[in-house]
């Protein structure tokens, strides 16, 4: 109830506005349900072992304001070995393939070591809102758009 200049009047709610507010709150709740729901060790192993993922990550271009999308394809062999093919940002070099190893640590983080760098890098995985998966590391997020059975 609103009091205006000594008169009382009833406040009327616009049904379209109420529908909009309820819809936005529902979408917010659903969207937040994905973020932070990290996969556990068993889920990551079941998802990746013996399968191939296709996806991408964003790499800074010549200017920090420009990001380049870099395509990746990773084969996760059941024996812990892996093979990654990267669509190099500078197309003159074409595709680049390297071999490495992968495992899932006690906390459920996916860890990979590639021959070239020989440095272990780990990150947590979660389901993305679009149905794919995200591998989140300290400074970078990899988007796995699809998981294909087999390697």
């Amino acid at each position: 109830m609103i009091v205006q200049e000594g008169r009382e009047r009833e406040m009327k709610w616009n049904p379209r506005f109420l529908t909009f507010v309820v819809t936005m709150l529902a979408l917010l709740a659903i969207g937040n349900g994905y973020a932070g729901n990290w996969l556990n060790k068993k889920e990551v192993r079941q998802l990746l072992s013996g399968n191939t993922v296709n996806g991408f990550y964003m790499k800074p271009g010549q200017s920090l304001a420009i990001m380049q999308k870099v395509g990746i394809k990773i084969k996760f062999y059941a024996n812990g070995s892996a093979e990654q093919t990267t669509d190099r940002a500078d197309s003159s070099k074409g595709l680049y393939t390297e071999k490495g190893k992968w495992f899932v640590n006690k906390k459920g983080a996916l860890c990979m070591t590639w021959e070239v760098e020989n440095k272990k890098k780990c990150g947590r995985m979660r389901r993305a809102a679009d149905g794919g998966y995200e591998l989140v590391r300290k400074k970078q997020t990899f988007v796995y758009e699809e998981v294909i059975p087999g390697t």
Side-chain angles (χ1 to χ4, degrees):
M1 197 173 291
I2 299 174
V3 177
Q4 183 180 28
E5 297 178 22
R7 298 183 309 190
E8 289 182 13
R9 71 178 183 145
E10 228 177 278
M11 185 167 34
K12 295 184 180 178
W13 289 95
N14 181 335
R16 289 173 127 176
F17 178 73
L18 285 175
T19 302
F20 171 77
V21 170
V22 170
T23 302
M24 294 311 291
L25 289 173
L27 289 173
L28 181 64
I30 291 169
N32 285 340
Y34 290 109
N37 289 339
W38 302 113
L39 300 182
N40 63 36
K41 181 177 182 174
K42 183 179 177 182
E43 291 169 326
V44 174
R45 285 199 55 77
Q46 285 178 338
L47 177 70
L48 300 178
S49 186
N51 294 325
T52 301
V53 299
N54 286 322
F56 67 91
Y57 67 94
M58 300 305 288
K59 175 182 174 180
Q62 293 179 358
S63 160
L64 289 178
I66 300 172
M67 298 295 283
Q68 296 175 323
K69 184 175 177 178
V70 179
I72 54 173
K73 178 179 185 174
I74 305 174
K75 296 179 179 183
F76 292 93
Y77 295 99
N79 67 3
S81 64
E83 184 176 293
Q84 173 177 260
T85 302
T86 306
D87 178 13
R88 302 292 283 282
D90 52 346
S91 59
S92 63
K93 293 185 180 176
L95 297 177
Y96 174 74
T97 301
E98 61 184 326
K99 296 186 184 303
K101 297 186 182 301
W102 73 280
F103 69 95
V104 183
N105 70 16
K106 292 177 189 177
K107 295 180 181 179
L110 171 62
C111 299
M112 294 181 274
T113 305
W114 301 106
E115 288 176 345
V116 175
E117 294 177 335
N118 199 22
K119 181 179 177 184
K120 179 177 71 175
K121 294 183 180 179
C122 300
R124 297 295 308 268
M125 288 190 69
R126 64 183 173 200
R127 186 176 271 295
D130 65 3
Y133 293 88
E134 295 174 337
L135 171 63
V136 181
R137 291 188 183 156
K138 289 180 184 178
K139 296 182 180 180
Q140 197 167 34
T141 298
F142 295 78
V143 177
Y144 294 162
E145 296 172 300
E146 62 179 340
V147 178
I148 303 164
T151 48

